[in-house]
Amino acid sequence: MSRIAIIGVGYVGLTTSAALAHLGHQVVAADVDRPKIDLLDSGVIPIVETGLLELVTEQRQVGRLTFAFMAGEVVAEAEFVFLCVPTPQAGDGSADLTYVTEAARQIGPHLETGAVVVNKSTVPVGSVDIVSTALGRADVWVVSNPEFLREGRAVYDCLNPDRIVIGSSDRIVGRRVAALYDGLDAPVVLTDPASAETVKYACNAFLATKVSFINEVANLCQAVGADVGDVVVGMGLDRRIGADHLKPGPGWGGSCFPKDTNALVRIAADHGYDFALVRGAIVANDAQFVRVADRVAAVSGGDLDGVQVGVWGLTFKAGTDDLRDSPSLAVIAHLRSRGARVLAYDPTHPDPGHDLLAPLGVEVVADLYAACDGSECIVILTEWPEFATADFTRVASVLGAPVTATAALRSGLDLSERDQRRSGRPAIVDARNLVDPAAVTTAGCRYEGIGRR
Ligand code: NAD
């Protein structure tokens, strides 16, 4: 059993705290966000993450997990301190290390001699040295231990990792960090800090590129009349490729891929290397958002001015409440900039006043049918299972004509001309290839998938 302090109780910090407590360690988890700590102290989990409430509750009950409002002293008795604070994208594309260095400065004076500070935040090559300097302590260690969990499956991933990567200039200290995970059945990659830091960025950039690749293949399928579903099966069965991350969609997003791909391009540029492949994936991804908006415009008669569009799904993927860099929000921004009115539904019921939603001017509605009410089309942007099982007869009955008339008047078009330009039937644009096309067409709607025949 080791004494561990976790700094930053977000998606990574909270899950890591509970997982390390589950492995038998004594964990105190601290955050600067007092309302969040108050919620956790009262037994509420502030994020949507399968199994996290149960794990946190269990570990609090057995007394191995406590929460604290952040103060440097929180690390006073810790043998290991995990930094799990944000590393957002800076204006120049690089990773902004302000939160990391600030946290290090806060804890530095309070660390025990010989304590090990572990960088779990995703940080660029050289960050072990940056944290060391910010700590201002020559008698403590700094080690890299990047996190690979997927939101929505964070608890499972923390307890069943594919591998544990540890970068340390000292093998013995690296092995001590590895020993914290004894009890998990996972290979340990023990390496130097620069290599460990590079593994994390390389993984995210590879996965993002893989998604962009299959999105491009889907667009090609659309053009040549092939079916991307069958192409994915045929490709995914090749063991050198694998089926994971071969799902076409509206583009990748979330709190990691966008900032980490940009940071990797920046890290490479800073070292004189042009990482053109990853730059290409970023460009392809931005184009995918536009392509989805184009599809919505096409089924709405060519232009979106004054057109009401229903959106299903706001989070960047199913199983999480995270809206950060969600492809859905990127597509909505394009729809709004072309004059569409957007009614959006998401099963996590985000607050319409949320920092990331309010500037978009999107109207958040209470259920998926409310998003259809008077809309000319529906666009599915997140793969929530409830969308696949929607009652499309009901959807068809509320989608459609009334707003078309209004929209036509607003945009100065003759209604019959506009009606001629659209198919006449309300459409479902399924940017996740989620629903059964037959269910949609039988209900009397048009179905538009991504590269789907
Ligand atoms: P998050 O925004 O959910 O949580 C970060 C927390 O740190 C917040 O609660 C914030 O209040 C707190 N914080 C900021 N400064 C602090 C300080 N000085 N002291 C104490 N607390 C402080 O972020 P996250 O999604 O958990 O990501 C954290 C890091 O992990 C990032 O570097 C991210 O790239 C990386 N990462 C994230 C994921 C993911 O899926 N979210 C996966 C792997 C790695």
Side-chain angles (χ1 to χ4, degrees):
M1 188 276 284
S2 295
R3 295 184 308 277
I4 296 176
I6 304 280
I7 309 300
V9 193
Y11 289 87
V12 168
L14 183 55
T15 315
T16 303
S17 307
L20 288 170
H22 175 80
L23 290 172
H25 304 295
Q26 190 63 45
V27 179
V28 55
D31 203 290
V32 286
D33 184 340
R34 190 180 291 270
K36 188 182 270 189
I37 293 297
D38 290 344
L39 278 178
L40 289 163
D41 272 337
S42 65
V44 177
I45 300 294
I47 54 173
V48 172
E49 201 54 72
T50 305
L52 190 55
L53 174 65
E54 293 77 0
L55 196 64
V56 167
T57 308
E58 173 194 288
Q59 292 310 312
R60 289 182 72 220
Q61 274 165 2
V62 297
R64 280 198 293 258
L65 176 59
T66 54
F67 297 106
F69 181 59
M70 179 61 188
E73 292 83 348
V74 82
V75 303
E77 291 178 6
E79 299 158 87
F80 298 90
V81 180
F82 283 72
L83 298 181
C84 302
V85 296
T87 46
Q89 189 174 319
D92 62 358
S94 66
D96 176 355
L97 294 182
T98 311
Y99 294 96
V100 173
T101 50
E102 175 56 28
R105 268 191 286 275
Q106 273 176 284
I107 62 172
H110 304 280
L111 289 165
E112 278 182 359
T113 294
V116 181
V117 175
V118 182
N119 280 349
K120 201 164 246 319
S121 295
T122 302
V123 285
V125 175
S127 296
V128 159
D129 295 336
I130 291 171
V131 169
S132 222
T133 306
L135 289 169
R137 293 280 299 266
D139 58 340
V140 300
W141 299 96
V142 183
V143 168
S144 165
N145 171 214
E147 179 53 57
F148 300 96
L149 65 77
R150 294 162 292 177
E151 284 180 23
R153 307 199 56 183
V155 171
Y156 178 85
D157 286 351
C158 265
L159 297 177
N160 303 275
D162 289 338
R163 75 308 209 183
I164 293 156
V165 176
I166 294 164
S168 173
S169 55
D170 185 286
R171 299 293 279 190
I172 294 171
V173 174
R175 283 202 198 95
R176 282 179 59 211
V177 175
L180 296 175
Y181 299 101
D182 280 353
L184 296 182
D185 183 18
V188 173
V189 179
L190 192 50
T191 181
D192 58 275
S195 303
E197 289 160 345
T198 303
V199 169
K200 175 63 192 174
Y201 282 105
C203 284
N204 275 358
F206 183 84
L207 293 171
T209 306
K210 195 172 176 188
V211 179
S212 274
F213 186 87
I214 201 62
N215 283 341
E216 298 270 273
V217 169
N219 298 334
L220 176 71
C221 287
Q222 190 86 33
V224 302
D227 182 69
V228 75
D230 290 348
V231 173
V232 162
V233 173
M235 284 178 70
L237 286 169
D238 186 323
R239 273 172 291 199
R240 294 167 302 177
I241 298 173
D244 221 26
H245 279 74
L246 274 191
K247 285 204 178 82
W252 39 264
S255 67
C256 293
F257 284 8
K259 75 175 176 66
D260 292 349
T261 45
N262 279 297
L264 184 58
V265 167
R266 183 69 209 201
I267 292 164
D270 286 347
H271 291 79
Y273 183 69
D274 176 17
F275 211 143
L277 185 63
V278 177
R279 273 197 299 107
I282 296 168
V283 170
N285 199 47
D286 290 341
Q288 192 72 0
F289 302 145
V290 177
R291 196 167 282 112
V292 174
D294 286 345
R295 293 287 289 279
V296 174
V299 299
S300 306
D303 85 89
L304 286 167
D305 197 21
V307 170
Q308 180 179 311
V309 176
V311 163
W312 285 358
L314 289 167
T315 55
F316 84 93
K317 64 175 177 181
T320 179
D321 57 344
D322 201 344
L323 296 169
R324 291 177 287 182
D325 274 317
S326 170
S328 176
L329 304 195
V331 172
I332 289 172
H334 284 293
L335 299 176
R336 294 282 297 137
S337 72
R338 297 185 199 184
R341 176 183 177 202
V342 173
L343 262 54
Y345 164 70
D346 191 274
T348 60
H349 301 290
D351 174 2
H354 189 291
D355 293 354
L356 297 174
L357 289 179
L360 290 175
V362 53
E363 293 159 64
V364 180
V365 296
D367 66 65
L368 56 87
Y369 302 104
C372 305
D373 201 358
S375 294
E376 286 206 22
C377 76
I378 288 292
V379 54
I380 302 176
L381 293 172
T382 312
E383 72 282 26
W384 289 104
E386 73 176 77
F387 302 155
T389 55
D391 174 353
F392 286 102
T393 307
R394 187 171 164 198
V395 168
S397 73
V398 280
L399 268 180
V403 174
T404 305
T406 321
L409 282 173
R410 264 196 228 141
S411 55
L413 285 173
D414 172 54
L415 180 57
S416 58
E417 182 194 335
R418 185 175 193 106
D419 266 350
Q420 267 175 2
R421 288 205 277 126
R422 62 201 283 270
S423 77
R425 283 180 300 152
I428 309 279
V429 176
D430 182 3
R432 293 282 183 175
N433 287 353
L434 179 73
V435 308
D436 174 9
V440 172
T441 50
T442 308
C445 294
R446 254 172 90 188
Y447 177 85
E448 296 268 340
I450 304 268
R452 217 174 180 191
R453 234 197 350 249

